[in-house]
Amino acid sequence: MPNLDHQSDLPPDRSHLSVNPANADDAAAKPLPRRRQLSNDQLAKGITAGDRAILGRAITLAESHKPQHQRQAEQLVTQLMPQTGNALRVGITGVPGVGKSTFIERLGVTLADDNHRVAVLAVDPSSSITGGSILGDKTRMAKLATHPNAFIRPSPSAGTLGGVAKKTRETLLLVEAAGYDIVLVETVGVGQSETVVAEMTDCFLALMLPNAGDELQGIKRGLLEVTDIIAVNKADADNITAAQHAAADLKRAMHVMPRKDNNWQVPVLTCSARTGDNLTEVWQTVTTRIHDLRNSGTLEKRRRKQALRWMWSLIEDQLLTTLKYDQHTQPLIQQMENEVTSGQRAPTAAARTVLDQFLHQHASPDNNS
Ligand code: GDP
C-alpha cells in the first residue's frame, strides 16, 4: 500500500453507533455524563485530542433536527475549520451487492494498518425513506469497525437527500478536525446521491459488476459524468474474463461520455475486494489522481467551489422552507396554487405574486414573523 505524502445530550443519541469497540474500554472507564450538554470549547478540545466518544457526540449534534443544536454544530464546525481540509476525500459508489463494504473493509484495514486514520461515512438516500441505514454499517465492516485507527459512521437516517448530505458534510469536517487523514464516503446510486457525494469529495470511484452487458445499459449518464475512476470488482475465480470484458466495454463507453474533467481520461481497472487482487493499484490510482489535482492547484479550486455551492444550496433550501411554511404567505400560496391548477393564472404571475408578498413581508421592519 503506498504511503501518502500528506500527512449534550441529544435525542436521538446515535453516538453509541460510532463508539469503536476497540475503544470501548476508554468509554467504560470515562462514562460521559448523559444529560450534560458540552460546550463547543469542550467538544472542540475533545475532538482535536482524538476523543472518539466526543467526536460521536459532536456528530450527533450536527445530525440533530433541533435548530439550537444545528446552530451549535455550525459554530463548532466554524471553530474547527482551521483543523479541517487535510484528508483525502474519496467517494465510493456502486449498486447494492457490488462489494462496497467488502472493498472498504479490506482497503480500510490495510490503510489503517499502515497508520492512516480512516473514517467511513455514508450518504444513503434510502435511509431517508426507511429510517434505517444500509451503508457505513459497522456490522458490514466488522474488522475495520474494531480497528483503533478507524471510525465508521452510518448515514444520518432522516431527512431529504439534501439534509443527509448537509449532515455528512459537517461530519466530514468534524472527522478531519479529529485527525482522520482518509475519509471514504460511501453511497448507492439512488437519485442524485452520486452527484451529492462527488460534490463533497476529491475523487469519485465507481465500483462495477463484471456482467458488463446489462450493467452498461443500466449505467446512468449522471454517474459517469462525476466519476474519476472505475473499478470492475469481483475479478476473481470464474469472473476474471467477464470482468476484463466489462472493463474493456467501459473504457470504450468512457470515450464517448461527457466527463467532469476533460483533461482526465477515466482509468478503468479490475479488482477483487474478496481476494485483495489489485486493490493496491486501485488505491494508488486514487491517490495519484488527488496528488495531481493538488499539485496543479485544481484541488484547492475545486474544494473552494464545492464549499460555495454548498453554501448556496443551504441558502436555497432554507429560503424555500421558510417561504413554504411562512404563515403569512400560506393563504396566498394556497390561492395561487388553486388559480394555477385551474388555469386562471399563469405560473409566472403566480410565482411573482407569492415572492412579492413574501419579500415585502420580510423586508418590512415591523413584520411580525
Ligand atoms: P455492497 O452491498 O456493495 O456493500 O456489497 P458487499 O460488500 O456486501 O458484497 C456483496 C456480496 O458480494 C457478498 O456476498 C460479498 O462476499 C461478495 N463480494 C464482494 N466483493 C467480492 C469480490 O471481489 N469477489 C467476489 N467473488 N465476491 C465479492
Side-chain angles (χ1 to χ4, degrees):
M1 196 59 55
N3 243 329
L4 305 175
D5 62 11
H6 75 292
Q7 27 113 12
S8 90
D9 178 40
L10 298 164
D13 189 347
R14 294 158 56 83
S15 57
H16 60 288
L17 291 173
S18 53
V19 172
N20 190 316
N23 286 32
D25 290 348
D26 298 1
K30 280 191 301 173
L32 283 165
R34 285 315 240 173
R35 298 270 150 211
R36 192 165 62 84
Q37 192 157 336
L38 297 178
S39 72
N40 273 353
D41 283 344
Q42 289 170 312
L43 288 169
K45 209 168 148 212
I47 288 169
T48 45
D51 186 322
R52 192 183 288 273
I54 297 220
L55 173 62
R57 284 181 66 162
I59 296 173
T60 304
L61 193 71
E63 289 177 352
S64 166
H65 291 283
K66 291 194 173 168
Q68 75 266 29
H69 293 158
Q70 289 176 2
R71 269 193 292 277
Q72 190 189 344
E74 285 158 14
Q75 283 158 7
L76 175 66
V77 173
T78 298
Q79 191 170 336
L80 289 168
M81 279 310 274
Q83 274 87 258
T84 65
N86 297 320
L88 300 183
R89 303 169 178 173
V90 180
I92 298 177
T93 192
V95 294
V98 73
K100 291 179 297 303
S101 47
T102 312
F103 181 91
I104 293 171
E105 160 103 328
R106 191 178 271 269
L107 175 69
V109 167
T110 314
L111 292 168
D113 280 347
D114 215 16
N115 272 331
H116 286 291
R117 296 188 65 214
V118 182
V120 180
L121 314 179
V123 171
D124 179 4
S126 60
S127 72
S128 317
I129 301 153
T130 61
S133 172
I134 54 163
L135 294 180
D137 182 352
K138 285 197 312 187
T139 57
R140 294 159 69 236
M141 302 173 198
K143 254 189 175 170
L144 189 59
T146 57
H147 201 295
N149 283 344
F151 181 87
I152 298 179
R153 186 77 181 185
S155 185
S157 64
T160 58
L161 175 56
V164 168
K166 171 185 183 284
K167 290 161 189 183
T168 308
R169 279 172 181 276
E170 285 191 316
T171 301
L172 190 151
L173 294 174
L174 290 170
V175 298
E176 283 187 343
Y180 288 87
D181 64 330
I182 294 172
V183 185
L184 306 176
V185 187
E186 182 188 10
T187 194
V188 276
V190 174
Q192 294 296 308
S193 68
E194 283 138 351
T195 314
V196 158
V197 172
E199 266 295 308
M200 65 176 87
T201 50
D202 305 324
C203 180
F204 196 70
L205 170 68
L207 295 182
M208 300 280 178
L209 288 165
N211 51 334
D214 300 333
E215 189 60 17
L216 262 184
Q217 304 306 318
I219 290 169
K220 292 183 297 179
R221 211 177 172 80
L223 165 63
L224 296 185
E225 279 170 14
V226 298
T227 296
D228 290 282
I229 296 162
I230 294 176
V232 180
N233 190 36
K234 305 198 183 186
D236 50 48
D238 296 344
N239 283 328
I240 294 181
T241 312
Q244 281 163 352
H245 283 146
D249 285 347
L250 283 160
K251 258 183 213 162
R252 269 193 298 277
M254 288 316 288
H255 276 291
V256 292
M257 285 283 175
R259 294 188 307 271
K260 78 170 166 191
D261 180 350
N262 285 329
N263 300 319
W264 176 250
Q265 185 58 52
V266 175
V268 183
L269 297 95
T270 58
C271 68
S272 168
R274 177 170 284 172
T275 64
D277 279 355
N278 240 17
L279 283 203
T280 305
E281 285 73 7
V282 173
W283 183 246
Q284 218 152 19
T285 310
V286 168
T287 55
T288 304
R289 166 71 168 155
I290 298 179
H291 288 174
D292 288 352
L293 288 172
R294 179 178 292 150
N295 292 341
S296 64
T298 313
L299 188 71
E300 207 37 54
K301 274 190 223 147
R302 184 178 287 183
R303 284 185 174 185
R304 270 190 232 135
K305 267 194 205 153
Q306 289 176 339
L308 274 184
R309 279 200 290 260
W310 179 19
M311 181 189 89
W312 276 107
S313 75
L314 293 175
I315 292 173
E316 281 170 25
D317 284 357
Q318 194 57 53
L319 269 180
L320 203 59
T321 309
T322 310
L323 167 64
K324 277 189 178 161
Y325 295 101
D326 181 53
Q327 52 170 330
H328 302 288
T329 317
Q330 274 292 323
L332 183 66
I333 290 177
Q334 270 299 312
Q335 185 194 335
M336 290 300 118
E337 281 188 352
N338 291 340
E339 291 185 14
V340 166
T341 44
S342 66
Q344 279 171 273
R345 195 182 286 258
T348 43
R352 184 174 302 282
T353 307
V354 169
L355 278 173
D356 280 351
Q357 153 136 354
F358 178 72
L359 294 175
H360 178 74
Q361 175 80 31
H362 285 262
S364 153
D366 57 355
N367 77 63
N368 49 2
S369 63

